[in-house]
Amino acid sequence: QVQFVESGGGLVQAGGSLRLSCAASGSIFSISAMYWYRQAPGKQRDVVAAFSAGITSYTDSVKGRFTISRDNAKNTVYLQMNSLKPEDTAVYYCAADMLISKTDSFRRYWGQGTQVTVSS
């Protein structure tokens, strides 16, 4: 059983900042990549940022504004969001590619999501 605790979402004015965090716990043998996705109303869920093998990547719309980081000792991934825009409004989901045992295969597990609302 794997659980995620996401926090840090909320309402912020355009130009403001938020920091999301997501801690994974439970029966975790290994974590490879960790991600942040977002889903706006009526739209599909898209990847925002990824952290894998020490390398970070971002979707073009957030480059230079968002920073993904992780604390492997705590199985936690963060998303620092600066210079927020109304179009960043969405439910943000963390995800992680995990093994829950030595004989398992890597699978992607999802957090419950946290709402980020940016007012103009």
Side-chain angles (χ1 to χ4, degrees):
Q1 189 90 12
V2 175
Q3 299 86 34
F4 289 87
V5 176
E6 290 192 41
S7 62
L11 173 64
V12 64
Q13 288 188 331
S17 298
L18 286 173
R19 187 184 191 227
L20 306 182
S21 65
C22 173
S25 63
S27 179
I28 300 170
F29 181 76
S30 178
I31 299 177
S32 59
M34 300 188 82
Y35 311 86
W36 286 98
Y37 283 73
R38 67 185 179 188
Q39 186 168 21
K43 296 190 176 181
Q44 67 180 23
R45 188 177 300 187
D46 291 322
V47 64
V48 173
F51 196 126
S52 178
I55 297 172
T56 59
S57 58
Y58 302 91
T59 192
D60 285 346
S61 63
V62 308
K63 284 180 180 176
R65 300 188 298 122
F66 290 11
T67 303
I68 187 171
S69 60
R70 62 190 279 186
D71 184 334
N72 291 330
K74 297 181 180 179
N75 291 334
T76 300
V77 63
Y78 305 95
L79 187 67
Q80 178 67 43
M81 306 185 293
N82 299 329
S83 302
L84 282 160
K85 304 175 181 180
E87 51 264 44
D88 295 318
T89 294
V91 177
Y92 283 71
Y93 298 89
C94 65
D97 294 338
M98 294 186 188
L99 288 174
I100 59 171
S101 72
K102 286 191 291 186
T103 58
D104 194 14
S105 301
F106 275 101
R107 305 180 198 183
R108 187 157 301 173
Y109 293 81
W110 295 87
Q112 78 279 8
T114 185
Q115 176 70 46
V116 171
T117 303
V118 184
S119 63
S120 56

